[in-house]
Every structure is written in C-alpha cells, then in structure tokens.
Amino acid sequence: MNTSASSAPAAALPLVQHDSWLAPYEPQLLARQARLQQRLAELTAQYGSLAKFATAHQRLGLNYDGRRRGYWFREWAPAATYLSLIGDFNGWDRGATPLQKGADGVWEVFLADKDYAGRLVHGSRYKVHVANDVRGQDRLPATLRRAVQDEHTKDFAGQVWRPETPFAWTDQKFRIQNYVREPFIYEAHVGMATEEHRLGTYREFADHVLPRIQALGYNCIQLMAIMEHPYYGSFGYHVANFFAASSRFGTPEDLKHLINEAHNRGLAVLLDVVHSHAVKNEAEGLADFDGSGGQYFHEGARGNHPGWDSKLFDYSKPEVQQFLLSNLRYWLEEFHFDGFRFDGVTSMLYHHHGEGVAFGSYDQYFGPDVDEDAVLYLQLATTLIHEMKRGALLIAEDMSGMPGLCRPIAEGGIGFDYRLGMGIPDYWIKLLKHQRDEDWNLGELWYTLTNRRAGEKTVAYAESHDQALVGDKTLAHWLLDAAIYAHMHKDDPSPVVARGLALHKLIRLLTLSLGGEAYLTFIGNEFGHPEWVDFPRAGNEWSYQHARRQWSLADNPDLQFQYLQAFDKALVTMARQRRLLAAAPARKLNEDATNQVLIFERGGLIFIFNFHVTASIPDYRFFVPQPGRYRVVLSSDAADFGGFSRVDDTLTYETFREDDVDKLSLYVTSRTALVLAKG
C-alpha cells in the first residue's frame, strides 16, 4: 500500500472541521476560495494589487492634476454616444465642454487652469450631460464627492469641493484594537440627534452627542445615512451618490471633525455602508446612467429589488467591482472610518434576496439561489478592508445564517468579523406583543438568545433603528404605552411604569450577557426614548416632531428616564471592565419555571434573573461552579436605577455545601436581575 503524503486526503477546511454538517459542501467552499484567488491574481497582474484596483475614484469624476494644473473629468459610460460637462462655469451649455470616449468606455476632458481658473472654483456647481441615440439627460457624476440641493427647485447638483486649507487630522495615535477590544456600538443618525425641530449637523453631533456616548461607556459609533440620498425619509438606505457625504448635515470637513473628535475620545466610527442596492432615481443616482438599461445594475427585472423599489448591482462586472471596492477605500482613507456595517447582506447573497424565504437547510447556502458573484464581491471587500486598515471592524446584516460569513477567508469563510443578531429584537417584540409576562418560557428565551453559529461573533441588541421606525414601537413604548407620557415623574407610583422600567432593564441585561460578543443600542433607546422615528414627509406635513432625540427627558432629575440611562451606563461599564463579551458563551446553572428564575454563568460572573410578576423568594438556593465569597456588582433593583432597593448590595455572600455541590443563598426579588462576582 502506498502511504506517501501525496496520497493522503487533504485536510478539511477549518470551517468544515468546526462544523461537520458542512462536509458535503466543502467542494463549494473550496471553489469560492479558488475563484477569489483567481480574481486576486488577475487584479494583481493587471493593476499590481487589489488596493491599486480600488482606485477608480482617483481617476473617475472630477480630480485636480497639480502637475498639469487643471481638472480632469472622466466618466464610465460605455453605451453613451455623447458626454459633456456642464455647470455654472460654462453657463450650463451642453455643447461647450464635450468629452472624448476612450476604448474602455471611459470618457474624459481636461480643463486647464489657464482657461478655467476663474470659473471652475471651490463651490462651483456642475453635472454631466449623458446622451445616446434615444435621449440625453443631465446627470450627477458616478463618483461625485459632494452633492448639494437647491432650496427652491430641490434639484441636486455636484459641487466642486477643494478648500484652500485641507482638514488637519489629529487622530494619528488612534488604533482601533487599542480602544475596542469588544465593540459596544452606539447606532446613531446625525440629522435626528438634536432636540430641535430641524436637521442636526455633524458639528453639533461632535459637540453634544459624542460626550454623551463616551460617558455611557460605548466605544463604537455606527453612523447611518452618511452616503448621500435624495429622500431624507429613506433613513439613508436609498443611496444616490456613493462617494458623497450627505451635505444636508454639513461639509466634508465637518464630518472629518466629527470622526477626529470621536477618535480623540477613544471612540471608533463605523459607516453604515449600502452596497446591496441603490436608489432608482435617474436625476440623482446611477440608474440607466448610459442609457443601456443596465451598466452598474442588472438589466431587466433582475435589476429591480422586489421589496425595496430600488436597483440591484451586477457584481459580476469588473467595473462594478472596482466602483464599489474603490468606494470602501475612499471612506477609509478620506474620512478615517474604522470599518463598516454592511446593509442588506442577505439581499446580496441570494437571487431571491431573502424575500419570503425561511432558511432551514444547508442546501440553501450553496444551491442555485446563491449569487456567487455577490459572494466573490464580499470576499474581495473584506480582503481589501482588512488590508487597508488593521483592526477594521466589519459587521454583516444577514438574517439567513450563511455559514462562514463571519469567519476568515483562509478558513473557508467570507471574511466579516461580526453578524447582527437580528432574531433577538424580533423575539422581544413578539414576546411583548403576544404573551403575558406570566407566560414567558425561560427555555425558549434561553434558546433564542444563545442560538447562534459557534465560532462566528454576533452583535447582540434588544432594539435598533428597525424597531424605532414609524409603524412600530420601541421596547419602552411597548412596555409603557401611554404611561410614557403621563406617569414618568419620579414620585409617580404607577405600576405600569414600575413594570416597564423593570423589564426594560432585564431585557437589556439579558441580551448583552447572553446574546453575543458585541452589543448595540440605537440613539436614545438607552433612556427609553418615548417615541418612534418618522422623518419629515408629505404624510406628516413635513414635521420634525419624530425625527429628533429628546435629551432633556434623560437629563431631567424629576423624570424616570434618568434611571434607564443610568442602568445602561452601569451595564456597559460592568461588561467592559469584566471583559464579559470576550468570554465563552454562557453556561446555564438553573432554570426554574415555577418561580420564573433563570441563573447562568459567563466570564466568571453569576447572573440571576427573576422574571416572576410578584414572587420574591427569600433564601433562594442555587448551584455555583466555584466556591468562595460573592458580592453584588449590579442590581437592576437599585434605587439609582429606579428600583425598590429590596436587595442589600453591600452584603457578601459565601458559598456552602449542599447535596455535594457548592451553593449560594440569596433573596431573589420579583422582576429583578442581579450580577455577582467573586471577591
């Protein structure tokens, strides 16, 4: 028998070794790896490296050439028959500044300073006229860096942005890995971050909201709606101009100031990036740019998202890969973002976009419904980002559970660092809507919060922007209902508010301690913001009433919102100091359906939850894995958190032997959570 090494079967991919159910699909995983390596080899041969490939923005659009002293303008429009640059510099004359077409479908023109220095200046407005045999349209360039809207006509135009003095960064010492060992993410929207009935600005966010985030203990900010979008009410998810920071909140320098200040406060900043689809508007966006019906997007029905009324990228095209990868490099380099939360990854991964599909079989992750071009693009994206910025954080919004999505590519994965635990907030809302407190099933609750793919890190959250949108309600609103307006004074004995505050605290602590390896909250939810989010629109008479954050509620010493905020700070601080999210998954110690008590251990801490509506149990005895003395490090029933101080958190609890195991005895009060630590 030949026993040479060459005849031995190849070792399984680490991803398959970790999950034996993947063994039948290892050929597909290896094929994905091979396809990526082939594409990287092609790009290296043609461009020198993946990073150099991701430089479309340095060539396309309007870029100043200091050597030749003038602006180059270039646009990829292979099916067009005529392009011209128009703007206030040439009287918007479509015949004045024509472009010449290259063999690669890229049109170009050079505008020398000697001819345009006094006309094409910082602040000038411009567009590109694109024509084919059927029609001509004035469009916004694809790699436009800044789009501004006319107050009167509401029309968007490009704006030359070349200030005399470049922004001076002072964040050179900031390193993500030094400040973010485990991500505690504060999801935020700049425009709605002021209490006034208007748009908030980047500067105001930096001055007023960053200190709040830092004081609460969060170490990451996830910014929504930064990429320019024509309709404010889309929450930033119908992007038109992928390289433009939204001008409605200020200038590019203002956004840089925000990020620079965040870094100087030890806060990483993630961009909510939308590469899953694009706005279908032709006046502002990329749809039918060169008149071919496709170009950046799939042609025909495949190019339209059935549920989002938007356009779908064709990830198979090299030019689309280059456009999107360059977009990622641009945000990392130009604005110093520390990573991305990729929106709509499920929609990208599957031809059916996850619409009406329940994922229950591994076949669904490797069958014909998977868009392998999108898989390749995401692998290229994660490879590029991790090459460009050491320690960059990548979060995938995926509800399908694609195996390996958040594992390194070398192991057979796609390369993200974290996935969003999207089932957790859905579960909490379902529970509050459809079940009485008395009927909560602790086993189901434990399963939902701990059921995640082993080895792939999860961002746990009780609610995000999705739960705050108009038509839904936040957890605080579900719990408190009308009492959130009428009974929040600290001296009001409302039983509705007492229940709501207690459960709000228990839900957040349980989510953080059980649900994952990172944690997220949405702006204002840390203090139980009383209202949903509804941006100005025709249906609400363009009101900002629900597109703002009422910070004064949390800061008012006479209102009980302060207690929820204080508890949020305490639980985040406790989890960070104890490195809770770096610990192995929790181990259940006790599940008592009769008394509605759930006890578990994680990271050396003992978590005790009593969900019972009325029963407070003296001398409640339970097993602990380590003997010794324990003390309370967090009690949801503390007076500082709006509780009733029924548990003396100054006591030390010592284990005793009973039934041949080490046990503790505590007074476990109703609707209370306690966290114990040794020492």
Side-chain angles (χ1 to χ4, degrees), residues 3 48 54 89 201 307 334 392 415 516:
T3 58
F89 68 93
T201 69
E334 184 70 19

Side-chain angles (χ1 to χ4, degrees), residues 58-225:
Q58 297 174 12
R59 181 186 180 216
L60 300 177
L62 191 67
N63 290 289
Y64 190 77
D65 186 334
R67 184 178 59 82
R68 289 193 57 179
R69 297 193 177 183
Y71 283 98
W72 281 102
F73 180 78
R74 299 184 179 94
E75 195 73 64
W76 177 57
T81 57
Y82 178 80
L83 265 72
S84 66
L85 193 64
I86 58 175
D88 49 22
F89 68 93
N90 66 4
W92 301 94
D93 183 349
R94 293 167 182 155
T97 315
L99 278 65
Q100 299 298 313
K101 186 177 185 180
D104 58 356
V106 174
W107 300 69
E108 68 178 23
V109 65
F110 182 70
L111 300 97
D113 283 350
K114 63 183 178 65
D115 300 318
Y116 292 94
R119 294 182 286 155
L120 191 63
V121 297
H122 175 66
S124 293
R125 301 195 179 200
Y126 68 99
K127 293 187 180 186
V128 59
H129 182 72
V130 183
N132 58 23
D133 294 333
V134 179
R135 62 174 181 172
Q137 285 184 298
D138 298 338
R139 305 296 298 259
L140 298 187
T143 57
L144 185 71
R145 306 289 183 90
R146 181 167 169 81
V148 291
Q149 188 174 27
D150 186 279
E151 290 184 16
H152 304 291
T153 66
K154 305 302 179 185
D155 182 44
F156 280 87
Q159 187 174 45
V160 177
W161 200 257
R162 191 165 170 255
E164 289 185 14
T165 305
F167 182 80
W169 292 93
T170 62
D171 66 345
Q172 289 80 8
K173 293 183 179 180
F174 181 80
R175 297 291 182 274
I176 307 164
Q177 55 271 33
N178 293 343
Y179 290 93
V180 185
R181 294 190 292 184
E182 298 87 43
F184 289 82
I185 305 166
Y186 195 87
E187 183 186 38
H189 186 289
V190 168
M192 58 178 282
T194 177
E195 187 151 353
E196 299 176 35
H197 291 245
R198 60 173 176 81
L199 282 168
T201 69
Y202 297 124
R203 290 267 172 181
E204 289 172 329
F205 192 96
D207 294 344
H208 304 304
V209 184
L210 287 183
R212 302 185 75 99
I213 298 170
Q214 182 184 23
L216 287 168
Y218 290 87
N219 56 22
C220 266
I221 304 165
Q222 182 176 297
L223 289 181
M224 310 172 61

Side-chain angles (χ1 to χ4, degrees), residues 341-347 349-350 359 365 395-403 405-406 418-423 453 456:
R341 178 259 197 196
F342 272 69
D343 177 68
V345 169
T346 306
S347 177
L349 287 172
Y350 307 96
F359 289 87
Y365 303 127
I395 301 170
E397 187 205 28
D398 170 50
M399 46 75 65
S400 76
M402 169 71 80
L405 181 65
C406 303
Y418 295 86
R419 68 167 76 244
L420 287 173
M422 300 175 70
R453 192 170 292 284
E456 299 196 35

